[in-house]
Amino acid sequence: MSHRTLPTVFTLTRRERSGQDCIWCGHALSAGAVPAGIAVGYWGSHNRSTQVYACPGHPNGLTEETQ
Ligand SMILES: [Zn+2]
């Protein structure tokens, strides 16, 4: 199973962290966003890991598989 490594929460924009933008291409997700996984991040002892979303065409970040 091919799968691109998710970025950490600290490399994401605020909109990407809040699920408003695709984490792979930055496109605004208005409808049909799919869960891309958990972006991991720790701030000291605080776990800031969060669910992130992507376009339906490349949930794993593999743009060449966009349909
Ligand atoms: Zn995208």
Side-chain angles (χ1 to χ4, degrees):
M1 175 180 171
S2 55
H3 196 292
R4 201 164 119 186
T5 304
L6 284 166
T8 68
V9 296
F10 305 113
T11 63
L12 300 174
T13 67
R14 187 170 57 82
R15 286 178 54 85
E16 289 166 347
R17 284 200 305 273
S18 61
Q20 293 176 280
D21 288 349
C22 171
I23 59 159
W24 303 123
C25 68
H27 199 88
L29 298 169
S30 53
V34 295
I38 304 293
V40 176
Y42 290 90
W43 187 268
S45 59
H46 297 281
N47 184 355
R48 303 296 300 270
S49 303
T50 185
Q51 175 74 62
V52 289
Y53 295 86
C55 303
H58 52 213
N60 296 327
L62 303 170
T63 55
E64 65 274 20
E65 293 183 1
T66 300
Q67 301 171 25

